[in-house]
Amino acid sequence: MTTLLPHIEIDTAPKPDAAVIWLHGLGADGNDFAGLVPELDLTGCPGIRFIFPHAPEIPVTINGGYVMPAWYDLLGTDMISRQDAAGIGASEKAITALIEREIARGIPAKRIVLAGFSQGCAMALHTGLRFPQALAGIMALSGYLPLAERFAAERAAANAHTPIFMAHGNQDPVVLPARGEASRDQLSSLGYPVQWHSYPMPHSLHPREVVDISIFLRQVLAPEVA
């Protein structure tokens, strides 16, 4: 049985009927985006449970083997020529366990959004689009699709039409804009409904992006009509 990742939980109202699982970037932890919840305009949304897990601490090759929170090892600066498939797979299982726990707590998959920034973005795309039940949406911020060469064969049909919010800074020196654009193009070519947003920023979050994230969450987590 997969041990549940340590995490922060924030409920926007009692008895939430939707959830957002938000994955941080390399070297950060769940606190990185927890403070953003009060800034989001969730007008009209029912109660949402925000979950911010902490990645395990592992040695990271490109940082000289320094131990830090990471969803997987980074073996090279281009992020794609040599990839830590085993680490990505281990984190996929841990994130899947968080999704399954929310389902067990009474929130169906179709009311769950998987979000992530940078490495967390990579894991959100990797995990969410392989999950066997349809999710409400995926938010992919300043990242890319890892193990892209395997994706067409491994993706789950259940999430073939899941809305995907992709955002990237056009001055990003960490995950180059071209890397995010290549992931966008691959997903679009396979028929995924990708909403692409570019912002004048480096590897960070833009105020306009916060507004657009709010709009996306209101769209995909709007109250269900009986």
Side-chain angles (χ1 to χ4, degrees):
M1 182 176 178
T2 302
T3 302
L4 207 64
L5 289 167
H7 56 277
I8 298 163
E9 284 190 14
I10 300 172
D11 291 355
T12 63
K15 299 180 180 179
D17 83 340
V20 177
I21 301 172
W22 201 318
L23 312 172
H24 63 76
L26 178 67
D29 64 17
N31 292 288
D32 205 30
F33 287 97
L36 187 66
V37 174
E39 297 181 35
L40 297 173
D41 179 1
L42 301 173
T43 304
C45 283
I48 300 171
R49 176 180 296 129
F50 283 86
I51 300 162
F52 300 94
H54 308 302
E57 296 199 358
I58 63 171
V60 176
T61 299
I62 63 165
N63 289 337
Y66 188 80
V67 175
M68 63 179 62
W71 297 108
Y72 51 89
D73 192 12
L74 285 175
L75 304 171
T77 55
D78 71 353
M79 303 180 187
I80 59 170
S81 58
R82 296 166 59 221
Q83 297 190 66
D84 177 18
I88 291 169
S91 284
E92 178 188 1
K93 290 179 181 177
I95 295 160
T96 296
L98 286 174
I99 300 172
E100 291 174 342
R101 187 186 69 143
E102 291 313 299
I103 294 171
R105 292 165 91 182
I107 297 178
K110 65 181 180 178
R111 302 286 295 155
I112 298 173
V113 171
L114 191 57
F117 175 82
S118 196
Q119 258 204 352
C121 165
M123 287 311 312
L125 288 170
H126 178 90
T127 305
L129 296 177
R130 285 169 172 78
F131 194 71
Q133 299 179 56
L135 299 172
I138 295 172
M139 291 197 316
L141 314 177
S142 300
Y144 63 101
L145 179 69
L147 303 177
E149 70 282 358
R150 302 184 184 183
F151 177 68
E154 295 180 355
R155 62 195 178 122
N159 281 291
H161 304 292
T162 298
I164 303 172
F165 177 99
M166 293 189 76
H168 217 103
N170 59 20
Q171 303 156 23
D172 193 332
V174 179
V175 181
L176 298 179
R179 185 75 66 236
E181 291 163 2
S183 296
R184 172 202 64 193
D185 293 346
Q186 180 177 359
L187 293 171
S188 296
S189 72
L190 292 170
Y192 289 93
V194 176
Q195 301 178 22
W196 176 259
H197 302 263
S198 179
Y199 303 96
M201 64 177 183
H203 197 60
S204 58
L205 202 65
H206 192 275
R208 177 64 208 179
E209 187 177 2
V210 175
V211 174
D212 291 336
I213 287 171
S214 300
I215 293 169
F216 179 76
L217 290 176
R218 293 200 304 269
Q219 287 173 346
V220 300
L221 295 178
E224 293 189 294
V225 179

